[in-house]
């Protein structure tokens, strides 16, 4: 089958592990040149080595999305190494607060909204001019099914993911005239370090999977192909859309 993303350059945040890594791997397998990134040099090095061992065209850079100098380096690396940016996947997110919503300290609320929402906006602001130079592009923001149904225990995090859905809509409205499409991926429960508190405890896992039609949690690789599709010309008439990858757990009608 022909590769979907030959000639494209992709930047993926938080892509040395979990869903971000699976997305970076799939984009590169589809022919894109991919900039992988995360906070720790050793994680970047390990991810680059693993991906390069598959003969994929990859460059790695340290980028804590909350640090302005790191965001600059991420964008500059893509432009200097690969000549521009066509695809941006905003995947980084944090959740420093589990528990009742109103128990969330202000500092945790600020961190959640800074990393999950504000840095997504700031990176889009920095990357869009480069997409304009290429005549268009595709932005994919990683939200969550929690964004559709904010919960008491994951309150601030899930509200931040609702905000990401709103950001997607506002960006899609502004960027359509520039031939830049903006879509969201909304994963349900996916087996990563981020969610290990849920899947490592057999009782919690059992109760959670009861609400998943496919009867199991997802794997990171089950997110990669959807993002590659949204980034590709196969999705050329899709913007301001969200694709839910949740095994049929509750999201929306
Ligand atoms: N897993 C789920 O069930 C689930 C469900 C719905 C939505 N999501 C969303 O999917 C996305 C990815 O989640 P995941 O489960 O794959 O998480 P994960 O496994 O915890 O991802 C960890 C990755 O993020 C990097 N990272 C962490 N903080 C970062 C920061 N501030 N800046 C840059 N990189 C950072 C880590 O590397 P370093 O340690 O080197 O920084 C690592 O590469 C998030 O937006 C999350 O909200 C996940």
């Amino acid at each position: 089958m022909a590769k979907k993303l030959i000639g494209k350059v992709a930047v993926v945040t938080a892509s040395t592990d979990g869903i971000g890594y699976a997305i970076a791997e799939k984009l590169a397998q589809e022919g894109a040149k991919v900039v992988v990134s995360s906070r720790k040099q050793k994680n970047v090095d390990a991810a680059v080595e693993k991906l390069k061992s598959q003969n994929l065209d990859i460059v790695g850079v340290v980028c804590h999305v909350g640090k302005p100098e790191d965001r600059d380096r991420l964008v500059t690396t893509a432009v200097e190494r690969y000549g521009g940016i066509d695809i941006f996947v905003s995947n980084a997110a944090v959740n420093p607060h589990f528990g009742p919503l109103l128990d969330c300290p202000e500092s945790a609320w600020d961190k959640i909204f800074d990393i999950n929402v504000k840095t997504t906006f700031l990176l889009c602001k920095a990357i869009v001019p480069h997409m304009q130079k290429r005549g268009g592009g595709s932005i994919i923001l990683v939200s969550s099914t929690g964004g559709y149904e904010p919960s008491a225990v994951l309150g601030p995090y899930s509200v931040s993911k609702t905000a990401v859905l709103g950001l997607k809509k506002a960006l899609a409205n502004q960027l359509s005239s520039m031939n830049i499409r903006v879509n969201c991926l909304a994963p349900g429960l996916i087996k990563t370090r981020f969610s290990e508190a849920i899947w490592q405890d057999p009782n919690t896992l059992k109760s959670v999977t009861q609400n998943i039609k496919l009867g199991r949690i997802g794997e990171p690789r089950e997110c990669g192909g959807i993002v590659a599709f949204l980034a590709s010309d196969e999705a050329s008439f899709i913007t301001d859309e969200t694709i839910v990858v949740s095994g049929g757990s509750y999201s929306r009608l």
Side-chain angles (χ1 to χ4, degrees):
M1 217 160 38
K3 293 183 178 182
K4 291 185 184 61
L5 300 173
I6 287 176
K8 304 287 185 194
V9 178
V11 170
V12 188
T13 61
S15 46
T16 60
D17 196 10
I19 293 171
Y21 178 86
I23 290 170
E25 181 179 47
K26 186 65 180 173
L27 296 177
Q29 287 170 344
E30 289 292 348
K33 301 169 200 305
V34 181
V35 185
V36 296
S37 61
S38 75
R39 292 168 304 178
K40 297 179 195 129
Q41 185 73 57
K42 73 172 172 42
N43 294 342
V44 172
D45 292 344
V48 168
E49 194 183 324
K50 251 166 70 183
L51 293 164
K52 281 198 166 163
S53 72
Q54 297 179 49
N55 282 327
L56 300 174
D57 198 343
I58 296 288
V59 65
V61 60
V62 168
C63 176
H64 181 321
V65 294
K67 295 187 177 168
E69 63 278 16
D70 283 17
R71 292 194 299 270
D72 286 349
R73 188 169 48 233
L74 179 68
V75 176
T76 307
T77 301
V79 173
E80 286 181 354
R81 175 66 78 97
Y82 291 138
I85 302 173
D86 306 288
I87 299 162
F88 170 51
V89 183
S90 176
N91 172 66
V94 292
N95 182 23
H97 176 76
F98 288 93
L101 175 66
L102 293 181
D103 291 352
C104 179
E106 185 177 350
S107 57
W109 177 277
D110 285 346
K111 186 168 184 189
I112 290 168
F113 277 78
D114 270 2
I115 299 295
N116 301 6
V117 186
K118 190 168 95 176
T119 67
T120 300
F121 154 70
L122 291 171
L123 277 164
C124 288
K125 203 171 159 68
I127 286 173
V128 161
H130 296 287
M131 291 183 167
Q132 273 187 288
K133 285 186 195 151
R134 311 271 276 192
S138 174
I139 295 174
I140 295 111
L141 311 181
V142 179
S143 178
S144 165
T145 50
Y148 286 117
E149 186 67 11
S151 69
V153 219
L154 291 176
Y157 165 79
S158 47
V159 175
S160 78
K161 292 298 185 174
T162 311
V164 170
L165 297 171
L167 187 58
K168 178 262 299 169
K169 187 164 279 295
L171 285 168
N173 285 336
Q174 185 179 351
L175 302 183
S176 56
S177 62
M178 301 171 198
N179 192 32
I180 298 172
R181 297 180 295 103
V182 188
N183 293 291
C184 275
L185 171 77
L189 188 55
I190 307 291
K191 192 173 184 181
T192 67
R193 256 191 312 152
F194 191 77
S195 58
E196 69 187 357
I198 299 172
W199 53 261
Q200 273 187 343
D201 175 53
N203 292 329
T204 314
L205 182 62
K206 196 174 165 199
S207 84
V208 164
T209 48
Q210 275 167 359
N211 297 319
I212 302 176
K213 291 186 184 67
L214 294 180
R216 64 174 177 85
I217 67 172
E219 296 290 335
R221 64 177 163 72
E222 294 178 290
C223 296
I226 296 299
V227 173
F229 163 71
L230 286 173
S232 77
D233 287 343
E234 287 178 4
S236 53
F237 202 44
I238 300 181
T239 194
D240 192 13
E241 193 50 84
T242 300
I243 299 191
V244 172
V245 178
S246 73
S249 58
Y250 175 77
S251 57
R252 57 181 169 167
L253 197 59

